[in-house]
Amino acid sequence: MKKLIITALILLSYQAEAQIKAVTDEGKEVVLFDNGTWKFTNDSDAKILETITTNETPFTKDKASTFLYRSKKVNAGVYVNPKIWKITDAFKTPVLEYAFINNSNSNIFGLLISENVEVGSLKNLKELVVISTKNRADYFRLKESEYRTVNGLNVLYLRYIANNKGLDFEYQMYAFLTDNGYCSVTGYAFAKYFNQNKAELDRFLNGLVEVKKAEGTQKVEVYETPPPPAKIKSKN
């Protein structure tokens, strides 16, 4: 049973079997026990957290996304609009290949992450993402998970909220299993700005593509020069 953050009103408490009924921030009713465990009152609510739906709508790259950032580790990359997305070297982690900031909107950001590891399936990858994010965050809530077809690729889409050190962010990501690992692109924003910027974050995510290695005399595409890495100024 996954950890749950209870943030809403206690509806009813009673002594019999030492149970307390409460509701989550998603409006789901649960029963709390003295030993620290809990369960959903409605079994269908529990299934929602485990289910990955399928979105039949095909998603494709935006025409303005003309510059390709290729992964150095796996056969994948992301096309971005070079006029509004710039890379930054402000973040460094072993799995992070590129971090992006939006040149026209300082409230939205992007990431490209890859690893040469055997995941097995997109379902397994979902569990890894959820567990690792929950372990790093002070608060986590998964809002959506579904399979999509993006530029002909079978991908996993996740949308979730996480709070870290008092800052609320909302994220959405695509994850794609490559020949030798996986690649994910994530677009995120301060939670209060997410909905108003979702269309731009969608365009960023829809740039995810599979990048085949050049063979023989295969033509190599040439892209315009990318913008220089951006610097994020500290606010002191």
Side-chain angles (χ1 to χ4, degrees), residues 6-203:
I6 303 298
T7 61
L9 175 68
I10 293 179
L11 300 178
L12 174 67
S13 63
Y14 51 92
Q15 295 300 318
E17 299 183 11
Q19 297 178 354
I20 298 175
K21 285 187 177 180
V23 292
T24 73
D25 59 344
E26 294 176 290
K28 308 299 185 183
E29 188 174 282
V30 297
V31 177
L32 309 179
F33 299 96
D34 273 354
N35 63 2
T37 62
W38 60 271
K39 71 175 183 178
F40 284 106
T41 302
N42 187 337
D43 288 339
S44 65
D45 291 336
K47 294 179 181 178
I48 292 176
L49 294 178
E50 303 298 330
T51 301
I52 305 177
T53 60
T54 299
N55 188 330
E56 300 292 348
T57 303
F59 296 85
T60 57
K61 179 178 72 68
D62 186 77
K63 292 181 179 179
S65 299
T66 58
F67 186 81
L68 175 65
Y69 285 93
R70 298 170 181 259
S71 168
K72 299 177 179 66
K73 295 184 285 186
V74 298
N75 56 313
V78 62
Y79 278 97
V80 303
N81 182 340
K83 294 181 180 179
I84 63 175
W85 288 102
K86 295 183 178 181
I87 58 172
T88 172
D89 56 4
F91 310 104
K92 299 290 184 182
T93 71
V95 299
L96 176 63
E97 290 204 66
Y98 301 106
F100 301 88
I101 60 173
N102 192 289
N103 192 42
S104 59
N105 189 332
S106 61
N107 294 313
I108 59 177
F109 314 90
L111 305 171
L112 185 146
I113 289 173
S114 67
E115 282 191 280
N116 298 120
V117 294
E118 182 64 36
V119 177
S121 69
L122 289 175
K123 183 178 180 181
N124 290 346
L125 186 56
K126 173 193 172 181
E127 293 176 356
L128 290 173
V129 171
V130 170
I131 291 172
S132 63
T133 305
K134 288 171 66 175
N135 287 341
R136 297 194 308 269
D138 298 320
Y139 168 81
F140 171 86
R141 177 163 67 93
L142 179 65
K143 299 182 71 173
E144 293 182 65
S145 59
E146 61 184 29
Y147 296 119
R148 292 184 177 184
T149 301
V150 181
N151 299 313
L153 305 176
N154 295 322
V155 308
L156 171 70
Y157 170 78
L158 297 179
R159 180 176 173 181
Y160 57 91
I161 293 175
N163 177 290
N164 193 7
K165 301 186 184 304
L167 296 176
D168 288 314
F169 289 95
E170 187 157 352
Y171 302 78
Q172 59 180 17
M173 66 170 287
Y174 283 159
F176 161 57
L177 297 184
T178 68
D179 291 342
N180 57 338
Y182 77 88
C183 179
S184 70
V185 289
T186 301
Y188 65 104
F190 291 102
K192 63 181 179 179
Y193 300 122
F194 183 88
N195 287 334
Q196 69 191 65
N197 292 294
K198 189 176 185 303
E200 185 58 52
L201 293 173
D202 288 344
R203 284 189 285 270

